[in-house]
Amino acid sequence: MHSDLRVIDPLLTTAYITRDHGYMVYDTLLAMDANFEVQPQMASWKISDDKLTYTLSLRDGLKWHDGNLVTAADCVASIKRWETRDGMGQKLADFTASLEATDDKTITLKLKEPYALVLASLAKPSSLVPFMMPKRIADTPADKAIAEQIGSGPFKFVQSEFQPGVKAVYVKNTDYVPRSEPPSWTAGGKVVKVDRVEWLAMADPQTAVSALQSGEIDFLEAPPIDMLPLLEADKEIVIRNLNELGFQTIGRVNFLHPPFDNPKIRRAALLAMNQKDVLDALIGNPKYYKICGAIFGCGTPLATDVGSESLVKGTGMAEAKKLLAEAGYNGAPVTLLAATDLNKAEPIVAAQLLRQAGFNIDLQATDWQTLVTRRANQNPPSAGGWDMFFTYWVGADILNPVADVMLSGRGKSGGWFGWPDDPQMEKLRDAYARSTSLEEQKKLAAEIQARVMEQGTFILVGQFESPSAWRDSLKGVLEGASVPVFWNVEKTD
């Protein structure tokens, strides 16, 4: 896998390894298919003529891993916990008048006003995914980790074999009743064709590649780009990009503390960045990356290049130095968290660019799982917090202003790590949520992108692909917006 697994509550972090764990153990009420259409998964739905009432009906045969039946009350509690953590869930909650279980198999959601993103919210394919869990677990406060891994998904988590950061084991849920439709992204039938899946953490890429070639392992989620030619020459290895939307990589600063509580200094950091320099180091082969000035993804309906010229052309350094001087930056250290086991070149090159602009960068090496834990700390860096980190998103997570959690302006209570308190951004996201035409949505998307660039909400560093590799004895590996998934996969001799 692309990272080791330590955080196993799928609502505590947007880290993809935790999301992927979630798809093994948990299921969703609705799901999105490869045509971006919402499909029934655990539930079907009806919408009232006035568009104010959504009635979801659970399908037959749904059981939790502890043997109890899935109930509407379980699902209501799960939705409410998700709504406290996820940006799209928070926006859905804003428009909701009531959400309740009207009988054991019926969930009734009533709106304050028509809201076009209800189904898309409940079918959100990537972080944070609205996974369903038993009420007794879903009632856990959203800022505390759940104590059990009891879902209704196609695999069961083997707690006794879990070695955080080393190994995670899943076995087939023999009680799972898959849908009859063919699988499509996270929708359709989740038919499990293997008895057991083991996720192994291998910190050294060469060791992982050798293990794949020797047959010690069957699947390697993210082989290093510079090792792909070695795998391409092996006739027993299949290489394919499973996520056609690709990834977008970004830098995030902490709005809560100096120096990035100053918008001029955030803007200076953005201007200092140069996508090509970072992507050359991060990915190397231009075949697998794209210089891109669109925060909603290049080639997507909302793509715009508003305000991104310095990032894509690398022309902002002089202005960055000027702004930093105007802001009165005093040379205080900037704690930049740098994962050494994931995208490790990115923070190193970014640190070099920031130093050229005049920042005093304290590059702190760590592993990715420690980083995703530490970034939740709202204290100053001197008390365990941070100033800056780099991460990436799959395309499905950044396609629109409501789904993109980085755009949340809810501050310390409800915002994504970095916690910008930006009422103007929330006003624009609300306007997008109410918009009914693509023309209007494009206009609002351009305004939102302009504000991101002005406020330094995050630093867009470009797009890339990350192909996966597996032995040709594996069949049925699925593409999707949230991959890898392991239903439909079978292993032949």
Side-chain angles (χ1 to χ4, degrees):
M1 303 299 285
H2 70 277
S3 171
D4 57 301
L5 177 67
R6 296 183 199 175
V7 180
I8 56 176
D9 183 335
L11 291 190
L12 276 196
T13 176
T14 49
Y16 289 140
I17 192 68
T18 303
R19 175 205 65 190
D20 298 342
H21 162 79
Y23 271 114
M24 299 292 278
V25 177
Y26 303 96
D27 211 345
T28 54
L29 292 176
L30 312 179
M32 185 175 291
D33 69 14
N35 297 315
F36 296 92
E37 297 290 335
V38 176
Q39 301 293 344
Q41 185 54 232
M42 295 172 70
S44 56
W45 70 86
K46 291 182 180 178
I47 307 172
S48 64
D49 291 341
D50 61 5
K51 312 293 185 189
L52 290 176
T53 301
Y54 286 67
T55 305
L56 295 101
S57 301
L58 295 174
R59 63 184 171 96
D60 294 331
L62 298 176
K63 284 184 179 180
W64 301 117
H65 294 167
D66 60 9
N68 291 315
L69 294 176
V70 174
T71 69
D74 295 322
C75 298
V76 167
S78 299
I79 294 169
K80 289 182 175 179
R81 186 170 191 259
W82 168 72
E83 286 178 337
T84 65
R85 296 287 296 184
D86 182 74
M88 203 165 188
Q90 291 163 350
K91 197 59 69 183
L92 175 60
D94 289 345
F95 283 82
T96 297
S98 66
L99 173 65
E100 55 186 7
T102 41
D103 62 41
D104 282 350
K105 298 185 70 173
T106 306
I107 303 156
T108 302
L109 187 154
K110 294 186 177 180
L111 298 172
K112 300 172 184 172
E113 60 180 287
Y115 179 52
L117 299 176
V118 172
L119 299 180
S121 299
L122 296 176
K124 189 182 179 192
S126 191
S127 302
L128 298 167
V129 179
F131 290 122
M132 297 297 109
M133 53 188 69
K135 183 176 186 300
R136 62 183 171 80
I137 299 175
D139 282 343
T140 305
D143 59 348
K144 298 185 183 304
I146 56 177
E148 299 174 79
Q149 294 293 306
I150 302 294
S152 63
F155 291 90
K156 291 183 177 179
F157 182 62
V158 184
Q159 184 74 51
S160 61
E161 296 191 51
F162 181 43
Q163 300 176 53
V166 179
K167 180 180 180 182
V169 177
Y170 307 87
V171 296
K172 180 178 181 177
N173 174 15
T174 55
D175 287 335
Y176 186 76
V177 179
R179 299 190 65 83
S180 59
E181 300 91 343
S184 177
W185 282 15
T186 52
K190 299 178 178 179
V191 179
V192 175
K193 301 179 178 179
V194 295
D195 293 329
R196 179 182 171 95
V197 177
E198 294 184 0
W199 291 3
L200 305 176
M202 292 185 171
D204 177 50
Q206 181 61 64
T207 301
V209 167
S210 298
L212 181 66
Q213 289 187 296
S214 68
E216 181 182 347
I217 61 174
D218 299 301
F219 183 91
L220 183 56
E221 183 186 0
I225 296 295
D226 59 358
M227 291 187 182
L228 287 179
L230 181 65
L231 293 172
E232 287 167 348
D234 191 326
K235 294 181 180 179
E236 295 183 339
I237 302 298
V238 177
I239 300 172
R240 200 163 79 220
N241 178 26
L242 295 176
N243 182 355
E244 66 178 16
L245 294 175
F247 297 85
Q248 192 175 82
T249 181
I250 63 100
R252 180 72 157 195
V253 300
N254 190 339
F255 283 57
L256 300 184
H257 308 290
F260 292 124
D261 59 346
N262 184 326
K264 282 190 175 181
I265 295 180
R266 295 196 300 269
R267 173 76 179 156
L270 185 149
L271 287 166
M273 215 53 58
N274 176 337
Q275 288 193 359
K276 187 175 188 309
D277 285 358
V278 178
L279 291 170
D280 278 345
L282 176 64
I283 305 299
N285 188 341
K287 175 183 175 182
Y288 296 106
Y289 77 69
K290 180 185 293 182
I291 292 173
C292 171
I295 66 170
F296 300 109
C298 283
T300 66
L302 300 183
T304 172
D305 59 1
V306 170
S308 61
E309 182 177 350
S310 69
L311 290 169
V312 300
K313 294 184 177 179
T315 55
M317 187 60 78
E319 183 66 16
K321 293 178 179 178
K322 180 183 174 186
L323 266 184
L324 209 54
E326 288 180 4
Y329 173 61
N330 62 4
V334 171
T335 300
L336 172 52
L337 303 182
T340 57
D341 56 345
L342 189 69
N343 294 348
K344 63 182 180 182
E346 186 172 24
I348 295 172
V349 175
Q352 291 172 341
L353 293 168
L354 292 166
R355 285 172 179 140
Q356 287 178 34
F359 286 95
N360 177 14
I361 300 297
D362 176 16
L363 195 67
Q364 295 193 6
T366 184
D367 61 88
W368 178 246
Q369 286 299 306
T370 301
L371 189 155
V372 299
T373 302
R374 184 172 173 182
R375 71 182 178 179
N377 190 330
Q378 295 187 345
N379 291 325
S382 59
W386 53 278
D387 288 314
M388 189 175 196
F389 69 90
F390 287 81
T391 187
Y392 61 93
W393 296 92
V394 296
D397 280 330
I398 49 97
L399 279 177
N400 70 63
V402 179
D404 189 341
V405 296
M406 295 184 295
L407 296 175
S408 172
R410 293 173 184 250
K412 294 176 70 173
S413 300
W416 192 67
F417 311 112
W419 308 284
D421 186 352
D422 189 346
Q424 178 61 21
M425 182 65 82
E426 284 302 293
K427 185 177 178 181
L428 289 168
R429 294 178 73 224
D430 282 345
Y432 180 89
R434 292 185 171 92
S435 61
T436 56
S437 72
L438 181 58
E439 182 180 3
E440 184 182 9
Q441 290 170 350
K442 286 182 174 180
K443 177 177 178 296
L444 288 164
E447 291 181 37
I448 288 170
Q449 174 156 326
R451 186 154 185 85
V452 167
M453 300 299 170
E454 171 193 306
Q455 291 294 311
T457 308
F458 59 86
I459 302 172
L460 175 60
V461 190
Q463 288 188 195
F464 66 92
E465 295 179 2
S466 180
S468 296
W470 59 90
R471 296 194 64 77
D472 61 2
S473 55
L474 281 193
K475 308 296 182 187
V477 178
L478 294 172
E479 298 178 355
S482 305
V483 288
V485 295
F486 292 94
W487 55 84
N488 201 56
V489 174
E490 57 185 320
K491 185 176 179 181
T492 60
D493 293 331

